[in-house]
Amino acid sequence: MYKRLISLPKNKSFFLFGQRGTGKSTLLKNHFGDEALELSLLDSRLNFQLSKAPWELRELVMARKPHQKVVVIDEIQKVPQLLDEVHRLIEDEKIVFALTGSSARKLKRVGVNLLAGRAQRFNLYPMTSGELGADFNLLEALQWGTLPQVVVEPLHENKDEYLYAYVSTYLKEEIILEQVLRQTDPFSRFLEVAAQSHGENISFSNIAKDVGISSVSVKNYFDILVDTLIGFFLPSHHFSVRKKQKKSPKFYFHDTGLVRALQNRSSLAPIPETLEFGKLFEGFVINEIVRMNEYQRRRFEFSHLRIDEKDEIDLIIEGPGQRIILVEIKSKDSQINEHDVDTLNRLGSGFKNPILLCLSRDSQRRKIGNVLCLPWQDGLEEIFQKS
């Protein structure tokens, strides 16, 4: 059993969102033990009961056993009208609720009560290298991703089957069952194109031509992936140090295993020193930083800077009251040299007193010009130590 890095309260109500399969239910069982009354809306009978009569939630909650101090409702977005009842129980009875869901999209879309700030929000992601500890293997993580069920499965063919089922069933069907969208075929084609765009600057119009839909629909589809915590945008940096800066955002999936399954490549190990390997490694490192930022509640803001194919800063990190951090990510495991950090040294001069970091698979620490070059694991520690 792996200990997750996320820190959840025990005496305050909260939402816990995360894409399907990240281990939300398991996390809460370990967090609360037998102190929680668990109500899963995946149970079709309970779902039907509370959909027809949401006020019956009060009856279930008030009849809980004395040692059950917390009420866990799994997949709250399936019966969003329950939130009015939850709100009243928090206010009137001081009940603590833990509410899980795949996203808040459906809750927001139907305009339900999101508890008006009475519950904190937390996001749970696929597992981090720190959570896996000695069991972490970078090449396995790049090939298969780090969803918990994939991590604990020893057989590669079973990992492959799980990921294929995930992208063919959940991403292409279950999102539709949640009434996020109505048509499956365009979204399925979009997912395949989006997977090819992992880590790339996004042109909604170009993807719209590839898929055969409008650019408005493409933007909406990307928003669905963001809202369901399948992926995220990395915006262009707001302060242009060059007038020719590209303004389009990049898009990253939260899990490399899903990217490769959507590309129908999950059974093939990525080859070091290839373009694919570099993109997967870059996305992996950025995801590690995004996850740690969430779990440590650092409130970092992330962006990137792209002038052209040669002039680019992979990740820009800004936090309250701290020096800006500019990060170059290299997948090579050989020695980092001056050429590797030339762009970072040049573009770094356009920022006020930045911290310049190059993270790679090179095992040696070195300083080249103003750039501190670190093994990527050391780089993660350096970033969060500087905050």
Side-chain angles (χ1 to χ4, degrees):
M1 183 64 66
Y2 296 105
K3 179 176 174 21
R4 305 304 299 264
L5 295 178
I6 190 171
S7 180
L8 300 173
K10 283 194 172 183
N11 300 315
K12 295 181 180 179
S13 295
F14 62 87
F15 289 98
L16 178 63
F17 292 112
Q19 70 183 80
R20 189 65 52 82
T22 48
K24 299 184 295 294
S25 298
T26 300
L27 174 64
L28 293 183
K29 286 179 181 178
N30 293 333
H31 186 61
F32 292 117
D34 62 356
E35 295 184 356
L37 168 64
E38 298 178 9
L39 302 173
S40 175
L41 296 177
L42 294 173
D43 181 328
S44 57
R45 179 173 296 183
L46 180 64
N47 188 315
F48 180 79
Q49 173 190 351
L50 294 178
S51 295
K52 296 297 183 182
W55 55 86
E56 290 188 9
L57 176 65
R58 174 177 287 269
E59 298 173 6
L60 297 175
V61 169
M62 298 310 294
R64 72 193 187 282
K65 297 176 182 178
H67 67 278
Q68 294 175 325
K69 302 176 181 178
V70 178
V71 178
V72 173
I73 303 180
D74 196 19
E75 301 299 332
I76 185 65
Q77 81 279 356
K78 289 185 174 293
V79 189
Q81 58 267 39
L82 286 179
L83 286 175
D84 284 331
E85 296 300 321
V86 169
H87 190 170
R88 281 191 282 270
L89 286 164
I90 291 175
E91 289 292 298
D92 299 343
E93 307 295 340
K94 311 305 179 186
I95 306 294
V96 174
F97 283 87
L99 309 168
T100 80
S102 301
S103 82
R105 183 180 179 89
K106 185 176 179 181
L107 302 180
K108 294 176 181 177
R109 188 169 60 86
V110 298
V112 299
N113 181 349
L114 287 178
L115 305 185
R118 289 169 176 80
Q120 292 178 276
R121 171 175 174 158
F122 298 87
N123 292 336
L124 186 66
Y125 300 105
M127 300 188 72
T128 68
S129 59
E131 290 169 334
L132 293 172
D135 291 339
F136 175 76
N137 180 296
L138 176 62
L139 298 184
E140 291 260 319
L142 296 186
Q143 179 175 0
W144 304 108
T146 57
L147 287 169
Q149 190 164 331
V150 172
V151 167
V152 301
E153 173 55 57
L155 299 179
H156 284 186
E157 56 265 33
N158 289 344
K159 292 177 187 283
D160 193 41
E161 285 295 327
Y162 176 82
L163 289 171
Y164 178 78
Y166 194 107
V167 300
S168 62
T169 301
Y170 174 64
L171 290 186
K172 296 180 181 179
E173 295 177 16
E174 193 161 343
I175 287 179
I176 295 171
L177 292 178
E178 292 291 345
Q179 300 176 12
V180 173
L181 51 84
R182 294 182 177 86
Q183 296 183 347
T184 163
D185 289 343
F187 187 67
S188 297
R189 294 196 299 273
F190 160 77
L191 283 173
E192 296 169 3
V193 176
Q196 299 295 334
S197 304
H198 174 71
E200 300 283 352
N201 287 85
I202 298 299
S203 169
F204 298 124
S205 59
N206 288 345
I207 293 176
K209 293 177 183 177
D210 291 339
V211 179
I213 56 177
S214 70
S215 57
V216 173
S217 294
V218 168
K219 176 64 166 62
N220 182 53
Y221 285 173
F222 271 114
D223 287 342
I224 289 171
L225 296 185
V226 172
D227 288 345
T228 55
L229 295 175
I230 301 298
F232 63 98
F233 282 114
L234 185 66
S236 176
H237 187 60
H238 62 83
F239 170 70
S240 177
V241 296
R242 296 289 188 275
K243 292 183 179 180
K244 295 181 180 181
Q245 175 187 355
K246 305 294 184 183
K247 298 295 186 181
S248 58
K250 286 187 173 184
F251 184 82
Y252 292 90
F253 282 78
H254 278 299
D255 186 72
T256 55
L258 297 187
V259 173
R260 307 198 78 246
L262 286 166
Q263 296 172 347
N264 198 25
R265 294 180 58 80
S266 57
S267 62
L268 304 175
I271 301 172
E273 308 302 326
T274 62
L275 178 61
E276 180 197 23
F277 190 94
K279 288 174 63 177
L280 290 171
F281 180 72
E282 176 187 308
F284 167 78
V285 172
I286 291 175
N287 264 296
E288 287 280 290
I289 294 170
V290 167
R291 295 169 192 177
M292 290 176 66
N293 176 59
E294 168 69 24
Y295 296 160
Q296 295 186 19
R297 314 297 276 182
R298 295 300 183 98
R299 313 297 184 194
F300 286 163
E301 293 184 358
F302 302 112
S303 60
H304 77 282
L305 177 66
R306 181 180 174 86
I307 309 300
D308 53 38
E309 292 184 0
K310 295 182 179 180
D311 285 348
E312 181 175 10
I313 297 175
D314 294 323
L315 184 64
I316 300 174
I317 305 173
E318 298 174 271
Q322 73 164 58
R323 293 165 62 190
I324 194 169
I325 303 174
L326 310 182
V327 182
E328 175 77 15
I329 301 170
K330 295 290 186 182
S331 65
K332 62 188 291 188
D333 61 359
S334 56
Q335 180 174 319
I336 294 295
N337 56 46
E338 291 184 2
H339 176 73
D340 294 321
V341 298
D342 173 67
T343 299
L344 194 56
N345 267 316
R346 284 189 294 103
L347 295 184
S349 63
F351 294 81
K352 182 179 179 180
N353 193 29
I355 297 171
L356 306 181
L357 299 178
C358 178
L359 311 186
S360 73
R361 296 191 297 140
D362 181 0
S363 61
Q364 297 296 316
R365 298 170 62 103
R366 64 187 82 248
K367 187 74 175 288
I368 302 177
N370 293 319
V371 181
L372 181 59
C373 305
L374 301 170
W376 65 269
Q377 301 96 323
D378 293 355
L380 297 182
E381 294 182 7
E382 182 76 13
I383 289 169
F384 286 90
Q385 175 183 315
K386 293 295 184 183
S387 63

